[in-house]
Amino acid sequence: MPFLGQDWRSPGWRWVKTEDGWKRCEPFSPALEDGNNQLNDISHTVIITGDDENEEVYNTEDCEFAAKKRKKDHFRSNTDSQCFYREKWIYVHKESTKERHGYCTLGEAFNRLDFSSAIQDIRRFNYVVKLLQLIAKSQLTSLSGAAQKNYFNILDKIVHKVMEDQYNPRLIKDLLQDLSSTLCILIRGVGKSVLVGNINIWICRLETILLWQQQLKNLQMNKQVNNGLTLSDLPLHMLNNILYRFSDGWDIITLGQVTPTLYMLSEDRQLWKKLCQYHFAEKQFCRHLIPSEKGHIDWKLMYFALQKYYPIKEQYGDTLHFCRHCSILFWKDTGHPCTASDPNTCLMPVSPQHFIDLFKF
C-alpha cells in the first residue's frame, strides 16, 4: 500500500504490509540505514561542543537535517555509478496538482526505468538502443546532468556487450553515428550550447564515441566451431520459412551472403513483395513503382526506395507499457501497484517514439 508521504500532498515514504503490520521501506542502502540509526540514537541526547559557556544543543530536527544531507552527499560522491531505484516504474504527470508537486521529466524517467538491466535482456536490447538513438537525434539537451551521465554509462555497457557477443553491431553503429553528428553540432556552438557540464567533458565524450566507432569498424566475428547440424544442412523449405520471418531487409541481405543457396532464396521476388506489403500501404506503392528490365516490379529496390520516404513497422520482443488507469510507465515483467479491477485492460505498449512524446510539454 503506497503512501504519498508525511504530508499527503507530497511524495514521500513507501509502506509494505508484513506479518507484524505495516513497515516503512527505505529507498537507500543498508549501510546508510545503519548510519541513520546511529544518528537517530544521538538525536535524543544533548551534544555539547566547546566550553560550558558556549554549549550548543542539537535537537531531533537538526539530526534529521544532518541525515538527509548525508544521504545527498553519498549520491553526489558516487559519481562513477548510476542511480538505482527499488521501484522500476514511474508516475507520468505533466502538471502540478494538490496531491503532487511538479511534473515528470524525460531525464527522470530515463533514470528510473532501469535501462542498464534492460540491455542484458535480448528481448529489450533493440528497444533500448532505438530509444537512445531517438534521444541522440533530438532530445539529448532535454536530459538533466545526472540523466546525461546515466545515458553514456548505458551506452558504454551496450558497446561492451556488442564487442563481446557480436550482437547486432549495425544497430549500435547507427546510434553512434547519429550521436556523434549531434554532438559535433552542439559543441561547435560554444556559448549557445545547452549541454550540461564543462565543454571539455563533452569533447572527451565525443572522442570516446569516435574510439567506439573505430572499434566496431574493426570488429571481427568469432567463427563458430560446431560439428553438429548447421544452417546449410536444413532443407530449402525451412530456410525459406526462416527468411520469410525477417522484418528487416538488411537482415535478409546479410543472411543471403552466408551461402549461395541462401543468396538464391534471398533474391526471391515474392519474399520482397511480402516485405513491402507488411511495411507499406498500396497507395505508397503507386507513387514509387520501380520496374525491372523484364517489365516486372523490382520489389527489392521498391522496399529500399519506400524506406527513404516512409517509416517501417518496428518489432520488439518486449516494450515499456503505460497504464491508462494509473498513468504509470513500467516494464511489464516488473509490474506496478495498479488499483484497477482488471489491470490488463488498462495496459498499452509504448514504442520508443511514444516514450519521447510522453514527455514533450
Side-chain angles (χ1 to χ4, degrees):
M1 178 177 178
F3 282 85
L4 293 178
Q6 298 169 351
D7 180 37
W8 67 275
R9 294 169 296 180
S10 63
W13 304 117
R14 179 174 176 271
W15 297 75
V16 293
K17 191 174 183 179
T18 64
E19 295 180 355
D20 300 329
W22 290 94
K23 290 188 178 182
R24 189 176 71 195
C25 286
E26 293 282 355
F28 301 102
S29 62
L32 283 176
E33 291 180 358
D34 295 340
N36 294 336
N37 292 334
Q38 293 177 4
L39 284 175
N40 292 335
D41 294 339
I42 301 174
S43 62
H44 299 288
T45 62
V46 177
I47 302 176
I48 301 176
T49 60
D51 299 331
D52 295 339
E53 298 178 356
N54 300 322
E55 65 180 19
E56 295 180 8
V57 180
Y58 292 86
N59 56 21
T60 304
E61 294 181 356
D62 294 329
C63 291
E64 288 180 355
F65 175 79
K68 292 179 180 178
K69 186 176 185 300
R70 196 157 167 251
K71 294 172 184 176
K72 284 185 177 180
D73 293 338
H74 169 78
F75 286 107
R76 286 178 180 174
S77 62
N78 192 12
T79 55
D80 293 333
S81 62
Q82 71 175 90
C83 296
F84 292 95
Y85 295 87
R86 183 168 298 178
E87 296 87 1
K88 307 304 180 185
W89 50 266
I90 187 168
Y91 179 81
V92 181
H93 52 112
K94 297 186 177 182
E95 58 185 9
S96 297
T97 63
K98 290 183 179 180
E99 291 77 15
R100 293 181 180 271
H101 177 67
Y103 56 89
C104 180
T105 63
L106 176 62
E108 185 180 356
F110 190 82
N111 284 338
R112 288 286 297 272
L113 291 172
D114 192 24
F115 289 111
S116 290
S117 299
I119 62 174
Q120 305 302 326
D121 190 335
I122 194 171
R123 300 171 303 164
R124 300 174 181 173
F125 182 85
N126 291 359
Y127 182 89
V128 175
V129 173
K130 183 63 177 179
L131 178 59
L132 264 63
Q133 187 175 12
L134 291 177
I135 293 176
K137 287 182 178 180
S138 60
Q139 300 296 321
L140 188 61
T141 56
S142 300
L143 300 179
S144 63
Q148 287 177 359
K149 185 172 183 180
N150 191 12
Y151 179 97
F152 281 93
N153 286 338
I154 295 173
L155 187 59
D156 179 58
K157 293 180 181 179
I158 290 176
V159 173
H160 281 84
K161 178 177 177 60
V162 173
M163 295 294 295
E164 292 176 1
D165 302 341
Q166 290 88 39
Y167 178 74
N168 210 343
R170 178 170 54 84
L171 194 63
I172 188 63
K173 286 179 182 178
D174 293 340
L175 165 59
L176 293 178
Q177 181 60 41
D178 292 335
L179 182 58
S180 61
S181 300
T182 301
L183 286 183
C184 285
I185 295 172
L186 294 174
I187 290 175
R188 286 172 186 168
V190 179
K192 300 179 181 179
S193 175
V194 290
L195 292 173
V196 179
N198 190 288
I199 191 64
N200 294 324
I201 296 176
W202 287 99
I203 293 175
C204 291
R205 286 175 176 171
L206 180 58
E207 292 175 351
T208 302
I209 293 172
L210 297 176
L211 178 61
W212 286 339
Q213 288 178 314
Q214 187 63 36
Q215 291 175 347
L216 290 171
K217 185 178 179 180
N218 300 330
L219 179 63
Q220 298 293 330
M221 296 295 179
N222 297 330
K223 187 176 181 180
Q224 298 293 332
V225 179
N226 190 357
N227 297 325
L229 188 68
T230 63
L231 190 65
S232 303
D233 297 326
L234 297 176
L236 288 178
H237 72 276
M238 293 186 67
L239 293 174
N240 198 44
N241 192 18
I242 291 173
L243 285 168
Y244 269 83
R245 295 181 182 274
F246 280 63
S247 61
D248 192 322
W250 285 110
D251 291 337
I252 295 176
I253 291 176
T254 303
L255 185 59
Q257 296 173 351
V258 176
T259 63
T261 302
L262 287 171
Y263 175 76
M264 177 191 67
L265 295 175
S266 67
E267 293 295 318
D268 182 24
R269 290 181 61 252
Q270 192 65 23
L271 170 65
W272 290 98
K273 181 180 179 180
K274 290 289 186 181
L275 192 63
C276 289
Q277 291 174 342
Y278 172 76
H279 287 289
F280 310 106
E282 292 185 5
K283 293 181 179 180
Q284 298 169 342
F285 295 159
C286 300
R287 300 175 185 176
H288 304 277
L289 288 176
I290 303 177
S292 62
E293 296 178 356
K294 298 180 180 180
H296 302 293
I297 297 176
D298 193 331
W299 291 104
K300 182 178 179 180
L301 292 179
M302 174 81 77
Y303 169 81
F304 289 105
L306 293 172
Q307 194 180 30
K308 296 178 181 178
Y309 299 100
Y310 310 104
I312 63 175
K313 291 182 180 179
E314 298 177 353
Q315 283 188 336
Y316 303 103
D318 190 16
T319 66
L320 287 170
H321 282 70
F322 181 75
C323 179
R324 293 186 292 267
H325 181 268
C326 306
S327 295
I328 286 179
L329 193 64
F330 64 101
W331 291 106
K332 192 173 182 180
D333 289 350
T334 59
H336 74 290
C338 187
T339 57
S341 56
D342 189 1
N344 292 329
T345 60
C346 306
L347 302 186
M348 178 181 66
V350 178
S351 67
Q353 185 59 55
H354 188 195
F355 178 89
I356 301 293
D357 296 337
L358 280 175
F359 303 98
K360 287 183 178 179
F361 304 114

